[in-house]
Amino acid sequence: MAILPILVAPHPVLKKKAAPVAEVTDVERKLLDDMLETMYDAPGIGLAAPQVGVSKRMLVIDIARGDEAPQPMKIVNPEVIEASEDMATYEEGCLSFPDQFAEVKRPARARIRYLDETGVSHEIDADGLLATCIQHEIDHLDGVVFVDHLSQLKRAMILRKLQKMKKQGRLAAAE
Ligand code: GNR
Ligand code: NI
């Protein structure tokens, strides 16, 4: 396993729509393992392949708290097949926007279809933090980042802060 460098915004790969995975092979399984290790190391509760520079529709999630057993999820070609009308607001962060947080409103529940690391199809009903996190990760696969859900003013403030951090060398050399 390996810890991969995480891209920091702005970066062209973070803005690109990722390609579906045609077949889940050892190459994809190795990447999913490396992504999990990278996510735990960060630490984060989710990570999408474009954040490590790979424009493929793959993501990993573990929303278990520190006092719970790990619950790693490996997700390939996810699709939102139903989203609730009612919305939920969470304070979101993103490993590609270090130290930046903002409230984002999304559907409170969603039904997701995806392939696991063996290519088997699953459907899950997500709510709470899992619903938020899966939607945040699927956004990454479509070239959308959490600040795209904010007002232009809030987005500009966050991007300015990141630029300043980069200039001051306060960001890990991951780009
Ligand atoms: O670690 C993360 N925490 C988080 C908190 C609230 C909503 C979404 C997230 S995902 C984020 C990791 C990340 O950037 N995934 O793309
Ligand atoms: Ni993110």
Side-chain angles (χ1 to χ4, degrees):
M1 296 228 282
I3 293 168
L4 307 169
I6 297 176
L7 301 181
V8 173
H11 192 287
V13 176
L14 294 173
K15 301 254 66 175
K16 220 182 127 171
K17 192 172 165 77
V21 173
E23 191 188 352
V24 187
T25 70
D26 285 349
V27 172
E28 283 72 31
R29 282 186 280 275
K30 164 91 166 66
L31 179 63
L32 288 163
D33 283 340
D34 288 347
M35 285 169 58
L36 271 176
E37 191 179 8
T38 302
M39 180 191 80
Y40 288 130
D41 176 71
I45 59 171
L47 186 70
Q51 292 180 277
V52 293
V54 178
S55 198
K56 287 188 188 176
R57 303 188 78 80
M58 300 168 57
L59 59 95
V60 294
I61 289 182
D62 191 337
I63 58 157
R65 291 191 315 260
D67 60 344
E68 296 173 332
Q71 291 167 34
M73 299 178 70
K74 299 172 182 178
I75 294 180
V76 174
N77 293 348
E79 293 170 70
V80 177
I81 53 185
E82 205 181 310
S84 66
E85 299 263 325
D86 53 314
M87 309 290 277
T89 302
Y90 269 88
E91 172 105 319
E92 295 197 14
C94 181
L95 294 172
S96 297
F97 293 77
D99 300 330
Q100 310 304 315
F101 301 91
E103 289 195 337
V104 177
K105 199 173 170 186
R106 301 181 186 272
R109 293 178 305 283
R111 187 164 183 82
I112 312 288
R113 181 187 299 138
Y114 67 94
L115 304 180
D116 68 17
E117 74 279 13
T118 68
V120 171
S121 180
H122 297 267
E123 276 184 30
I124 54 166
D125 286 308
D127 65 6
L129 182 58
L130 181 60
T132 288
C133 190
I134 289 195
Q135 292 175 84
H136 173 118
E137 303 312 336
I138 293 175
D139 267 358
H140 275 301
L141 306 183
D142 292 322
V144 174
V145 288
F146 82 112
V147 300
D148 294 331
H149 294 277
L150 307 179
S151 68
Q152 199 241 282
L153 179 66
K154 283 187 190 164
R155 180 164 58 244
M157 278 174 54
I158 287 178
L159 289 172
R160 213 159 32 238
K161 279 193 232 161
L162 271 188
Q163 265 178 3
K164 196 172 166 188
M165 284 169 67
K166 277 195 181 178
K167 218 166 64 194
Q168 296 177 339
R170 285 197 285 137
L171 286 179
E175 57 277 9

